[in-house]
Amino acid sequence: MNYAEVAVNSPGSRSTFSYAIPPGLNVDVGQAVWVPFGSRVIQGIVLQLSDEPSVEETKEIAGIVADSVLLSPIQTQLAQWISGYYFAPPFDALALMLPPGFERRAITYFQPTDSQVDLPLTPEQSQVLRVVREKRKASLPELEKVIGEREAKQITDQLLAFQLITKTLEAEKPKIMPKVVPYVRLIAGKGEIEPAKARLDKSRAYRQAQLLEFLTGRPQPVSIGELRKRLNCSLTTIKALESRHLVSVERLRIRRDPLSHLSLTTSPPPVLTPSQQVAWESIQEVIVKKARQPSKLPVFLLFGVTGSGKTEIYLQALAQVIAAGKRGICLIPEIALTQQTVERFAGRFPGRVAVLHSGLSLGEQFDEWQWIMSGNCDVVIGPRSALFAPLPDLGLIIIDEEHEWTYKQEDKSPRYHARDVAVKLAQLSGAIVVLASATPDIGSFHRAEQGEYQLVELKERITPRGYSPLPEVSVVDLREELKAGNTSLFSRSLLAAMKGTLAQGEQIVLFLNRRGTATFVRCRNCGFVFRCPRCSIALTYHSTEKRLICHRCRYSIPVSPSCPRCSRPCLRLLGIGTQRVEEETRHFFPGARLLRWDRDAITKRYTHEEVLTSFRDHKADVLIGTQMIAKGLDLPQVTLAGIINADTGLNFPDFRSSERTFQLLCQVAGRAGRGIKAGKVIIQTYSPDNYIIEAAAKHDYLGFYCKEIDYRRQYNYPPFSQLIRLVYSHADEESGHREAERVHRLVLGEKAKKGMIDFNVIGPVPTFAFRARGRYRWQLFLRGSDLTRMLSRLTLPRGWTIDVDPVGMV
Ligand code: ADP
Ligand code: ZN
């Protein structure tokens, strides 16, 4: 093969480029290479080899970055799928899989030749030649500093043509290197040690004798750091023993281990409960017998309430896969919140668990990566990006809390969803996937219902009391509180329950759904919410214009002083913060110890772990927090969970807002009563008959699902259609709007030309964060089937981003 298709590391390059392979250079698919690109030389990854180039004129590959192939065939195939499906530059997709610290620049160096000048040089040429000769080796950036960017390039080209200088290309210094530290090893033979000790004692070299004594009987070398700590031993002492040829000092590579601080207790697997056993057998059958139907995806949906023993199933499945000579990846929504999970895994598979996430130092990331690639660990745990760990022999991918939105990368390209990529990766590698949740994503449950995924259920909770019912949930109508003259955040029943719980010395969590607060307007008297008469979603308050705007169709009205339904002047912008909850709690319970857990508190004062640990150690009585509280935490001493206001999420202008709210309510409700005592949950709401609140109060996922899936079907939302979100951002509001309208017309024109019926466009509408970082953002949604084909025919100018299967619409 004489040509290579290369994905180049140049921002926004949507396609690969053809390069000729120079004679004598060995290049393979998955290899990192240096390629000329414009006036620079940059890194690229070879994706294909061919006999013919895809274009007429090609440049040559300039060199290889490393001898060995960097990415496996499965990885390069996966990257190509991601790039195609999510409309992302191929290099962006590949970058997910590259080792930490991979990205480097190439630096051009110039060296003088022995040739003499036999023609007159310009003053600039003379100047550059002088610098190169003085330095013996000068880099292009150095010359640019002397004479200017454009000139440096021109003049060095001229001097090269005169053969007065030569050019070499070198990679910039690596950002991160393996860590090596000095070790001391005993090399003296058995017979030499005693006489040597005697000699040392005699010459009063007691420290040397002590060190020799310490090393005797230690076949493994000991690091100098440890010798310093243990023996307070100085370098001089070591050097002295070295010069006597009794020990040698060598530099050894060490692994920067992010889990080294954990004090692990190894835990043998428990005997499965009968219902776990049933669930486990259906998964085990597929792992062991490979009894796979080719028509079916190798995907399980493990549906079970919090505390039903799902994690135990993951551990069993991993053990089984490992016994079969394979390995597994377990994705968790957010590493900061899952220290417990990591400890549980590391305790079950001691020394065989790697973690990968952005909170690690670059050195730790680098070492974990190498360790994973070497095949010396069996399990990788981490957030969505851990899916791309270079784990050989992948047999199992687990996605814990699969409904979580953090599995979708929204803020940068490629905007992938780890769940869908995991299913693709499983197909490519022959692995199986276990998706797990107490409140599965509507789309996932639908797939299971359709038989695409295999549904496995765990119905009961396991607690130290054995099986236990879910906590008792009561719903409080906040309108009644107001009528009774109670204007505080807490209803009378919540106050009473808090009082009782504190009197018992038990713990409380108070949950506030912050998402979407202060964005819609509601009447505190009758519960009325302004909605769009055309689209029926809640109108969003825009403070700059003082208007309520529909984010679907741009219908808008000014904010009126009184409620259109009951005429009372009770309209209120919704915005309650955790701070206010804290103040009111303090007011009612001055003696209670409070702990606030939100983004502000975390970044300013504590880490997630510190807050959690101190609450678990009962250093506080009440934990007040937002979304984070809802995540899978084990808080056994909590017996009361209060949801301050369940409605906030309901009125978010997004077809997924019901699903989202239901998931949050169920998760908070699941927090109470995980320990010895049964728990109680109080949901406060202005809309007690809303089906979402009703279903959440009964822990009735299926009831919710049936209503929700009907709604999705009726309005043709996913999973019955596909959505693609196109966002255009521009510094000028009107230009942004014009461009968005232009693309809207373009799409409609394309639709008419191809006669596509099952397809429509929503927008253009402003995004929820309309003005972000000085730019206005407009969005269009394409909805229908086969959108990929449609979209691949459009060429969108700079400024557009494409989000395939967006998790939100605002
Ligand atoms: P989930 O992942 O569904 O929240 P876990 O696997 O964490 O559930 O289980 C809940 C609790 O029950 C944990 O404390 C766990 O140690 C315990 N547990 C799970 N399976 C068993 C079992 N078979 N026998 C005894 N305890 C179990
Ligand atoms: Zn509308």
Side-chain angles (χ1 to χ4, degrees):
M1 305 271 183
N2 301 321
Y3 296 92
E5 283 296 314
V6 179
V8 295
N9 184 9
S10 169
S13 287
R14 295 247 158 166
S15 59
T16 56
F17 292 85
S18 272
Y19 285 92
I21 302 172
L25 195 71
N26 249 336
V27 171
D28 243 322
V29 170
Q31 193 147 30
V33 290
W34 294 108
V35 290
F37 193 77
S39 63
R40 297 170 304 148
V41 171
I42 59 177
Q43 287 175 312
I45 303 285
V46 177
L47 282 181
Q48 261 160 40
L49 297 175
S50 61
D51 284 322
E52 295 294 326
S54 58
V55 287
E56 237 167 72
E57 256 182 57
T58 57
K59 292 183 182 173
E60 278 192 350
I61 289 176
I64 51 178
V65 175
D67 286 333
S68 55
V69 168
L70 203 55
L71 300 177
S72 70
I74 290 175
Q75 287 179 305
T76 50
Q77 282 174 53
L78 186 67
Q80 288 178 80
W81 181 83
I82 292 172
S83 162
Y85 185 82
Y86 293 105
F87 289 88
F91 194 87
D92 287 357
L94 289 160
L96 297 167
M97 306 168 195
L98 294 173
F102 168 81
E103 286 188 36
R104 277 153 77 190
R105 286 176 312 168
I107 300 177
T108 311
Y109 286 94
F110 300 97
Q111 284 170 289
T113 59
D114 294 335
S115 312
Q116 287 309 309
V117 195
D118 50 9
L119 38 116
L121 294 179
T122 64
E124 288 85 8
Q125 289 170 343
S126 307
Q127 190 189 359
V128 170
L129 185 61
R130 199 166 53 242
V131 176
V132 175
R133 284 185 171 161
E134 272 166 20
K135 291 193 173 264
R136 302 302 305 160
K137 185 174 169 186
S139 71
L140 186 59
E142 281 171 333
L143 297 177
E144 283 171 349
K145 257 187 228 140
V146 173
I147 196 154
E149 232 171 82
R150 173 118 47 90
E151 291 79 359
K153 175 91 181 81
Q154 269 172 8
I155 292 165
T156 49
D157 279 347
Q158 292 157 2
L159 295 176
L160 281 166
F162 298 156
Q163 296 183 345
L164 291 169
I165 56 175
T166 58
K167 175 167 101 166
T168 51
L169 200 64
E170 286 174 32
E172 163 186 47
K173 252 190 29 223
K175 291 192 192 74
I176 188 78
M177 297 282 275
K179 185 168 181 181
V180 284
V181 296
Y183 276 77
V184 180
R185 184 200 291 274
L186 184 69
I187 53 169
K190 270 209 181 86
E192 292 173 63
I193 294 175
E194 283 314 316
K197 260 193 222 153
R199 275 201 306 279
L200 289 170
D201 280 338
K202 206 164 149 204
S203 52
R204 301 196 178 179
Y206 300 124
R207 291 215 162 253
Q208 291 179 49
Q210 183 195 19
L211 176 57
L212 192 59
E213 173 68 38
F214 182 82
L215 290 172
T216 311
R218 280 188 170 75
Q220 296 301 325
V222 182
S223 78
I224 291 188
E226 196 180 336
L227 291 175
R228 280 223 170 97
K229 223 171 23 199
R230 303 266 297 257
L231 302 179
N232 196 13
C233 161
S234 76
L235 223 67
T236 332
T237 315
I238 296 167
K239 287 264 180 263
L241 274 192
E242 194 185 15
S243 65
R244 290 175 198 269
H245 304 290
L246 295 168
V247 304
S248 71
V249 177
E250 41 197 85
R251 297 177 70 77
L252 296 180
R253 179 166 178 190
I254 57 162
R255 182 175 148 233
R256 286 157 282 198
D257 177 5
L259 298 184
S260 60
H261 66 285
L262 296 183
S263 48
L264 293 175
T265 42
T266 46
S267 60
V271 178
L272 293 183
T273 64
S275 78
Q276 275 175 323
Q277 189 60 33
V278 173
W280 167 234
E281 274 165 16
S282 50
I283 297 176
Q284 189 188 29
E285 196 177 45
V286 176
I287 298 178
V288 175
K289 292 196 202 139
K290 299 236 178 334
R292 238 178 250 166
Q293 288 162 278
S295 62
K296 269 202 172 176
L297 291 169
V299 183
F300 291 94
L301 178 60
L302 180 57
F303 168 43
V305 292
T306 334
S308 59
K310 297 186 295 294
T311 309
E312 195 48 53
I313 301 274
Y314 311 160
L315 294 168
Q316 299 267 351
L318 282 167
Q320 186 92 59
V321 162
I322 293 165
K326 299 228 161 191
R327 302 160 213 277
I329 295 175
C330 178
L331 299 186
I332 49 187
E334 207 169 325
I335 193 85
L337 302 172
T338 33
Q339 192 62 24
Q340 286 167 293
T341 314
V342 172
E343 282 173 13
R344 220 165 134 190
F345 278 62
R348 187 65 61 84
F349 307 106
R352 310 292 293 174
V353 175
V355 294
L356 269 184
H357 58 90
S358 58
L360 304 181
S361 70
L362 192 56
E364 286 172 327
Q365 288 181 40
F366 181 83
D367 287 358
E368 287 294 273
W369 192 270
Q370 304 266 335
W371 190 52
I372 293 165
M373 190 134 102
S374 72
N376 284 316
C377 79
D378 296 321
V379 180
V380 178
I381 304 185
R384 59 170 188 255
S385 57
L387 184 60
F388 304 104
L391 191 67
D393 312 310
L394 185 62
L396 174 65
I397 304 167
I398 296 159
I399 304 188
D400 185 34
E401 311 277 356
E402 64 91 33
H403 62 275
E404 282 289 344
W405 289 15
T406 50
Y407 288 124
K408 174 84 169 143
Q409 175 153 297
E410 286 188 283
D411 54 343
K412 58 175 190 271
S413 164
R415 295 180 165 75
Y416 69 94
H417 200 302
R419 187 201 309 121
D420 300 317
V421 178
V423 172
K424 186 70 202 172
L425 175 57
Q427 285 175 302
L428 290 171
S429 62
I432 69 164
V433 180
V434 174
L435 307 175
S437 173
T439 50
D441 181 81
I442 293 288
S444 299
F445 202 83
H446 184 68
R447 289 214 173 85
E449 234 195 354
Q450 301 290 306
E452 265 182 79
Y453 297 169
Q454 188 175 333
L455 187 65
V456 177
E457 272 188 83
L458 283 176
K459 293 205 171 106
E460 295 105 352
R461 266 186 154 199
I462 308 168
T463 67
R465 285 163 286 151
Y467 285 138
S468 83
L470 283 154
E472 168 206 332
V473 182
S474 40
V475 176
V476 174
D477 186 346
L478 287 174
R479 293 170 302 187
E480 295 300 322
E481 294 299 310
L482 204 69
K483 281 190 194 132
N486 176 10
T487 55
S488 99
L489 290 178
F490 304 131
S491 61
R492 290 157 294 174
S493 42
L494 180 55
L495 275 178
M498 287 172 74
K499 204 168 161 189
T501 309
L502 291 173
Q504 297 285 320
E506 291 159 12
Q507 287 184 303
I508 302 172
V509 297
L510 294 177
F511 171 77
L512 194 68
N513 184 3
R514 276 270 290 278
R515 204 179 131 83
T517 48
T519 60
F520 69 102
V521 173
R522 182 175 47 212
C523 174
R524 288 246 285 166
N525 183 48
C526 70
F528 174 82
V529 172
F530 283 95
R531 286 174 190 283
C532 173
R534 293 177 237 171
C535 315
S536 96
I537 58 170
L539 297 177
T540 301
Y541 180 65
H542 280 229
S543 58
T544 38
E545 297 111 85
K546 299 243 179 333
R547 287 180 81 81
L548 291 159
I549 299 175
C550 171
H551 271 230
R552 185 77 42 82
C553 71
R554 298 190 72 209
Y555 167 89
S556 87
I557 47 165
V559 184
S560 56
S562 56
C563 172
R565 186 153 78 191
C566 71
S567 313
R568 296 269 304 274
C570 295
L571 292 183
R572 249 187 92 164
L573 251 188
L574 281 149
I576 318 163
T578 39
Q579 240 157 333
R580 223 190 109 199
V581 180
E582 187 181 5
E583 278 159 23
E584 288 213 12
T585 314
R586 183 156 291 137
H587 168 75
F588 286 109
F589 306 102
R593 296 163 304 163
L594 312 184
L595 195 57
R596 195 154 58 89
W597 193 15
D598 53 21
R599 296 257 173 228
D600 288 348
I602 295 300
T603 48
K604 285 200 195 105
R605 286 175 284 155
Y606 307 107
T607 65
H608 291 290
E609 246 173 283
E610 283 167 340
V611 172
L612 253 185
T613 313
S614 89
F615 191 62
R616 214 177 287 128
D617 294 346
H618 212 146
K619 295 204 178 105
D621 306 302
V622 186
L623 180 64
I624 299 163
T626 54
Q627 267 74 328
M628 281 176 276
I629 283 193
K631 303 268 164 74
L633 314 170
D634 198 357
L635 302 169
Q637 297 178 72
V638 171
T639 54
L640 174 65
I643 294 159
I644 303 297
N645 188 334
D647 309 329
T648 38
L650 292 181
N651 296 296
F652 216 55
D654 189 329
F655 78 98
R656 280 204 174 91
S657 68
S658 325
E659 180 179 5
R660 177 87 174 138
T661 305
F662 178 78
Q663 287 162 349
L664 277 173
L665 295 181
C666 285
Q667 282 178 11
V668 179
R671 293 282 73 86
R674 294 200 64 176
I676 306 289
K677 290 202 163 180
K680 186 176 165 62
V681 179
I682 294 178
I683 299 181
Q684 305 194 122
T685 172
Y686 286 97
S687 30
D689 356 296
N690 186 302
Y691 72 96
I692 297 160
I693 310 269
E694 283 184 341
K698 286 187 286 189
H699 304 280
D700 180 13
Y701 176 80
L702 286 178
F704 168 72
Y705 171 79
C706 291
K707 282 241 167 65
E708 185 62 20
I709 200 79
D710 276 350
Y711 161 80
R712 301 277 181 96
R713 189 180 289 118
Q714 192 180 344
Y715 290 95
N716 194 29
Y717 275 119
F720 299 99
S721 63
Q722 193 191 15
L723 271 185
I724 292 183
R725 174 192 203 175
L726 305 176
V727 179
Y728 185 70
S729 83
H730 197 281
D732 176 53
E733 183 177 352
E734 241 344 276
S735 315
H737 189 203
R738 267 202 307 279
E739 169 63 11
E741 290 287 3
R742 185 188 73 83
V743 169
H744 186 196
R745 284 192 302 275
L746 207 68
V747 173
L748 289 183
E750 197 65 29
K751 175 186 170 179
K753 218 162 57 191
K754 295 282 179 289
M756 296 168 87
I757 331 158
D758 177 25
F759 172 74
N760 63 6
V761 196
I762 303 168
V765 286
T767 61
F768 182 64
F770 183 37
R771 240 191 107 187
R773 277 171 259 132
R775 296 176 77 83
Y776 290 88
R777 308 193 313 143
W778 293 86
Q779 60 184 351
L780 283 173
F781 287 93
L782 312 186
R783 179 172 58 178
S785 53
D786 207 7
L787 298 179
T788 311
R789 202 158 51 98
M790 161 89 207
L791 198 56
S792 55
R793 281 197 292 265
L794 296 180
T795 27
L796 296 175
R798 236 171 214 287
W800 283 97
T801 53
I802 301 174
D803 188 353
V804 177
D805 306 332
V807 285
M809 285 187 78
V810 293

